[in-house]
Amino acid sequence: MILVTGATGNVGREVLRALVRAGAPARALLRTEGEDVAGVEQVTGDLNEPASLEAALTGVRAVFLLPGYRDMPGLAAEMTRAGVEHVVLLSSLAAMATDTDNAVSEYMIRSETAVRESGLAWTFLRPSAFMSNTLRWTAQLRAGDIVRDAFGDVPTASIDPYDIAAVAVRALLAPGHEGRIHLLSGPHPLLPADRVRVLGQVLGRDLRFEGLSDEDARAQMSATMPAAYVEAFFGFYRDGTIDEATVRPGVHEITGRPPRTFAQWAAGQADAFR
Ligand SMILES: NC(=O)c1ccc[n+]([C@@H]2O[C@H](COP(=O)([O-])OP(=O)(O)OC[C@H]3O[C@@H](n4cnc5c(N)ncnc54)[C@H](OP(=O)(O)O)[C@@H]3O)[C@@H](O)[C@H]2O)c1
């Protein structure tokens, strides 16, 4: 049995679908009962409360784990106690950032360290930014044809969550991934304006991107995230402490096919922007 955390999220949902396609036994961890995800068995638990996972972990061989919860060593200890053999941790390229005081890097590194020191077999996935982050433009695109966002001059080889899931499922089901760190990205570095152009083609609309000044970007971001995370993203994209523009070979090497393009991701999500 494989337990998938973040089951209702962009990546976890794709991991469950891929496990079902592979015919592997899978269980979805949900915070609250309800939503059907990929038709698999559901169990409730809170990743911030390791003791709440006792039922979820019963009979589990491997876990797909999200990072950044309150007590990552406690979570790993709970998994060890339950007899889990292998953890595939969704981390980030931020774990390699040069500034380890950065709040996002800190929680990725803290999560990797807890799993590494637990004695469990592990695989770390370090993806670039997700294509699904573009969903934050839905309100602007429903309201009009202009997208305004931060860091308009920063190219990112963002990745489709589908591809992160494809790699995760290889790591969960096939031998040889223990103790390995997979660096993952999409196939092309794109500027936000490039992504808006592709979305326009997919939606059949004449869309335009306008970059926010750093001052306006800081104000917009501060409305939706804690100050430490705003500083973290300015550290990544203004101080250049992360490299998300480089195309990484991981998806191709592990799945045997190239990573999906932004146009493929956008075509699958078109309804969300209408
Ligand atoms: N976005 C990026 O560019 C990026 C890049 C690299 C790494 N990451 C990492 O990838 C992670 C997953 O991304 P995503 O886009 O798939 O996330 P997402 O769509 O926001 O989904 C988060 C999932 O985690 C669940 N969750 C949240 N708190 C929980 C808790 N205390 N106990 C149990 N489940 C909990 C949510 O469940 P509910 O349905 O109950 O809310 C949801 O299923 C991020 O959290 C981030 O750390 C992100």
Side-chain angles (χ1 to χ4, degrees):
M1 177 61 71
I2 295 168
L3 181 69
V4 176
T5 71
T8 58
N10 295 302
V11 182
R13 183 183 298 275
E14 294 293 350
V15 172
L16 278 168
R17 287 177 179 153
L19 287 170
V20 168
R21 283 196 297 274
R27 183 182 289 164
L29 181 78
L30 301 178
R31 273 196 284 194
T32 50
E33 255 174 66
E35 192 184 343
D36 175 68
V37 191
V40 304
E41 177 189 337
Q42 301 184 358
V43 60
T44 54
D46 183 341
L47 289 164
N48 282 320
E49 304 291 343
S52 74
L53 298 188
E54 191 180 340
L57 288 168
T58 303
V60 166
R61 176 186 68 75
V63 176
F64 174 74
L65 180 64
L66 263 45
Y69 294 97
R70 201 158 44 212
D71 177 10
M72 295 304 289
L75 270 182
E78 200 63 37
M79 291 177 200
T80 306
R81 238 191 319 276
V84 171
E85 294 167 13
H86 185 195
V87 174
V88 174
L89 176 73
L90 176 56
S91 177
S92 161
L93 289 178
M96 298 156 67
T98 48
D99 173 12
T100 51
D101 289 336
N102 178 299
V104 174
S105 299
E106 187 279 330
Y107 88 71
M108 296 298 178
I109 293 167
R110 180 167 50 81
S111 301
E112 289 191 2
T113 303
V115 173
R116 200 193 298 266
E117 291 181 350
S118 68
L120 291 157
W122 53 264
T123 307
F124 297 155
L125 310 183
R126 290 181 179 167
S128 60
F130 300 170
M131 290 178 182
S132 47
N133 295 348
T134 307
L135 291 168
R136 70 170 176 264
W137 293 344
T138 48
Q140 294 191 71
L141 284 170
R142 285 191 190 132
D145 291 332
I146 300 176
V147 173
R148 296 183 179 85
D149 206 351
F151 310 124
D153 53 346
V154 177
T156 306
S158 60
I159 183 167
D160 190 332
Y162 180 95
D163 286 332
I164 302 173
V167 171
V169 167
R170 296 296 199 292
L172 288 162
L173 300 181
H177 292 271
E178 291 84 356
R180 290 180 62 193
I181 298 174
H182 296 314
L183 307 185
L184 308 172
S185 79
H188 310 113
L190 296 178
L191 292 167
D194 298 324
R195 290 198 290 277
V196 168
R197 181 178 38 75
V198 172
L199 273 175
Q201 286 162 358
V202 166
L203 298 172
R205 289 168 55 186
D206 189 13
L207 303 179
R208 192 155 51 84
F209 177 79
E210 284 181 6
L212 293 174
S213 69
D214 283 356
E215 193 185 347
D216 288 348
R218 203 180 279 280
Q220 189 191 70
M221 292 163 73
S222 298
T224 58
M225 63 178 81
Y229 286 3
V230 176
E231 291 317 311
F233 287 108
F234 270 85
F236 290 151
Y237 299 133
R238 280 291 167 259
D239 305 337
T241 60
I242 196 169
D243 173 12
E244 292 191 303
T246 298
V247 174
R248 318 273 172 176
V251 173
H252 204 157
E253 284 175 359
I254 294 157
T255 67
R257 56 160 180 80
R260 296 189 1 160
T261 62
F262 184 72
Q264 285 174 297
W265 176 85
Q269 298 292 328
D271 285 348
F273 295 103
R274 291 196 171 107

